[in-house]
Amino acid sequence: MPIEGEDGLSILSIEDLSIDFKSMEGGLRAVDGASFSIAPGRTTALVGESGSGKTVISQAIMGILPSVASISGGRILFNDPADHRQIDIATLDPGGTTMRDLRGNRIAIVFQEPMTSLSPLHTVGDQIGEAARLHLGLTATQARAATRDMLRLVQFPDPDRALDTYPFELSGGLRQRAVIAMALVCRPALLIADEPTTALDVTIQAEILRLMNQLQAELGMSILLITHDFGVVANMAEDVVVIFRGRIMESGPADEIFRDPQHPYLKALLNAVPRFGMKADERLVPLRAIEPETSGHLMKPREEAGKRGEPVIEVDRITKQFTLRAGGPFSAPKLLKALDCVSFTVNRGECLGVVGESGSGKTTTAMAILKAIGIDSGAVRYALNGTMRDVAGLTGEDLMEYRRKMQVVFQDPFSSLNPRMTIYDILSEPFVIHKTCGVAERNERIGELMRLVGLDERFLSRYPHSFSGGQRQRIGIARALALGPDVILCDEPVSALDVSVQAQILNLLKDLQDKLGLTYVFVSHNLAVVDYIADRIAVMCRGLVVELADKASLISDPRHPYTQALLSAVPEPSLDNLLDFESLSAGRASEPTAWPDPFRPTEGPAPDLTEVAPGHFVLAPGLIDGSDRQPGGLRVQALT
């Protein structure tokens, strides 16, 4: 459906575009007759799963298609409002003068991963200023001044210092701001944002979305937003285009897309998104469901499984400090307190969600439970052979038994699988290391694991690179289940996946928990995902557990200001619950010294949590007195 501005012209019109890839196996049509347009000053969202052709279309617009790809049909018409000329980008030489004048000048792009789109060898100021020098003809001094102004515009805390800063010295959110500044320094007419917030925490994501809205209003540019997150679409886009396998399935104003979706694919995508307030028995509906077959060895009674609801893990006031690299030859190394008296209990058969921003201590806590890192003080205890044992003291066969009972699913399904090993070898490794069975039984168990996660046994001879992200994550889950564990630590297991594949994995984990009696510690920064899968939620910030409650209480009645900020920053896939960008204060909420009384921390080790309602604990040092302690380092006191 063409979308036009007041003068009857769109900024960009894609007409019947087809793009083919060549390979040794033959040709592949990545984009097949796609047509849509972008109106001046508006945001158009291009939505679809990985592999649907979204990024390929953005590459074609920018003239940066890979060498094996070519435009086989259609037009890409760019109507530049600066000089009112129309250019068919599809006919331009990607290395020619006209395309170079457009790329980075009139049409700019923000990539998904800010670290890989910035050179680690050059300062932020040099990289942003380069575009100004190339396209605007500015001198080095003028480019530096323009860069400083742009860094101020994207709300860098210290623009002057940032000019001489290297990308690795910045946080993920500041790196993304630098990439946006680099894209906007020439004041383009069209900004392509390719998954600009996928790698960011919800609070940082909200900051970047608010920033893009402000910059669009100030610069009057159009935005092509490429994403698979319908929460981002609802808060950012005025027009939506849905793509599947290179073909446009549905397009129109955001209000119509959300309130009256027509195409079955769009309806399926919307049903696959986790959202707050789902009923206890309500399930996500993935596009392609996994039906796990649970039979054979994994379903045999387990010797040491205790009763559901009994404590299986106790984390009691653990602390951990890391030594940071010294800033110079004469400066002393700095200490970073990653964990500050962290305490909670995990009960058998439940899923405890651990949420917080990057750097909050979530993964460090998980690694401490695994005994993958040592702790400075406190204790992690595990119910081994019917007795709570201090994990730090486990050695020999007891440690091997603990390793069998405690497994992990990592965040990145590709880097956690050895690319030189076949799937058979990957799933065989746990049995070989722990010497649990012979070759014949091992092969039976491996076949059972593949069926359990919905994969064909014929794939066992393949290597990880031949699988999709969702399939690789299922292989990681199968490996974690190989030894029949009691507890699985899931470290951001779905953050890198599309919503439809995410729904597959979340449903699979819930089904396996029900069928196998598993206990989960589920680490994530996505509160909507945790709300779907967890029974209780622990919220972490700067190495502190600031709130701990069952999910219904925490979502409906958050007490700590940091928890409230996290919830307010989650973009929901609904036009009825849009983010309030004006009231978001993510930066202050993650700074403990800015918390109001009684939540502001005091000097010394963090105090115990305070019970403010039955089963609902909050870090509130201003309320603590000499009340009796509860197991796991929790102290009870009513909030008055």
Side-chain angles (χ1 to χ4, degrees), residues 317-331:
R317 296 187 64 78
I318 64 173
T319 62
K320 177 65 178 178
Q321 287 187 331
F322 291 103
T323 302
L324 301 181
R325 178 175 59 89
F330 303 107
S331 59

Side-chain angles (χ1 to χ4, degrees), residues 99-242:
M99 191 67 239
R100 289 203 308 269
D101 288 342
L102 290 177
R103 186 189 302 125
N105 182 15
R106 304 306 299 147
I107 306 175
I109 188 167
V110 175
F111 293 102
Q112 177 174 351
E113 177 48 62
M115 194 61 198
T116 57
S117 56
L118 292 170
S119 168
L121 303 178
H122 299 87
T123 63
V124 169
D126 286 344
Q127 294 183 67
I128 298 174
E130 182 182 22
R133 293 195 306 272
L134 288 175
H135 293 293
L136 304 180
L138 303 184
T139 65
T141 303
Q142 292 171 331
R144 187 174 176 87
T147 300
R148 184 185 297 107
D149 291 340
M150 187 53 64
L151 288 172
R152 189 175 295 110
L153 189 64
V154 298
Q155 300 172 16
F156 250 78
D158 189 349
D160 290 300
R161 183 174 180 273
L163 288 170
D164 300 312
T165 301
Y166 289 91
F168 60 82
E169 298 178 284
L170 301 175
S171 67
L174 287 180
R175 284 198 295 263
Q176 194 64 294
R177 288 172 188 265
V179 172
I180 293 173
M182 186 163 55
L184 298 183
V185 71
C186 295
R187 310 283 172 134
L190 173 64
L191 175 68
I192 301 173
D194 187 2
E195 301 275 11
T197 60
T198 298
L200 304 177
D201 298 323
V202 288
T203 49
I204 307 300
Q205 172 179 265
E207 289 182 7
I208 297 299
L209 296 181
R210 176 178 56 181
L211 175 63
M212 290 175 63
N213 271 339
Q214 292 172 344
L215 294 174
Q216 182 179 31
E218 184 165 338
L219 303 178
M221 63 185 177
S222 301
I223 296 178
L224 174 60
L225 177 65
I226 296 174
T227 184
H228 62 256
D229 189 334
F230 275 97
V232 172
V233 173
N235 283 276
M236 291 292 292
E238 289 130 324
D239 308 296
V240 182
V241 179
V242 182

Side-chain angles (χ1 to χ4, degrees), residues 58-59 145 168 181 200 233 273 301 328 341 352 354 381 383 388 392 456 470 503 513 531 565 591 605 614:
S58 73
Q59 291 172 336
F168 60 82
L200 304 177
V233 173
V273 182
C341 298
L352 176 72
V354 182
R381 292 182 284 271
M388 296 302 292
D456 196 315
Q513 181 184 25
D531 178 44
E591 179 52 57

Side-chain angles (χ1 to χ4, degrees), residues 595-608:
W595 295 339
D597 288 329
F599 306 103
R600 186 178 296 116
T602 56
E603 292 293 329
D608 300 320

Side-chain angles (χ1 to χ4, degrees), residues 518-541:
L518 297 171
T519 303
Y520 292 141
V521 178
F522 194 96
V523 174
S524 179
H525 65 256
N526 190 325
L527 268 165
V529 167
V530 171
D531 178 44
Y532 177 68
I533 196 169
D535 300 298
R536 291 187 301 137
I537 300 175
V539 181
M540 294 191 67
C541 177

Side-chain angles (χ1 to χ4, degrees), residues 33-34 45 54 109 159 168 180 229 247-248 255 395 410 418 435 437 451 473 480 508 531 538 598 602 618 626 630:
K54 309 187 301 293
I109 188 167
F168 60 82
I180 293 173
D229 189 334
R247 295 185 176 184
I248 304 301
D255 187 70
T395 58
F410 295 99
N418 190 327
K435 302 175 183 178
C437 57
R451 295 192 299 273
Q473 196 61 290
L508 175 64
D531 178 44
T602 56
V618 178
Q630 275 196 337

Side-chain angles (χ1 to χ4, degrees), residues 6-17:
E6 295 179 359
D7 58 358
L9 287 177
S10 303
I11 284 287
L12 188 82
S13 294
I14 292 179
E15 300 178 356
D16 200 26
L17 180 66

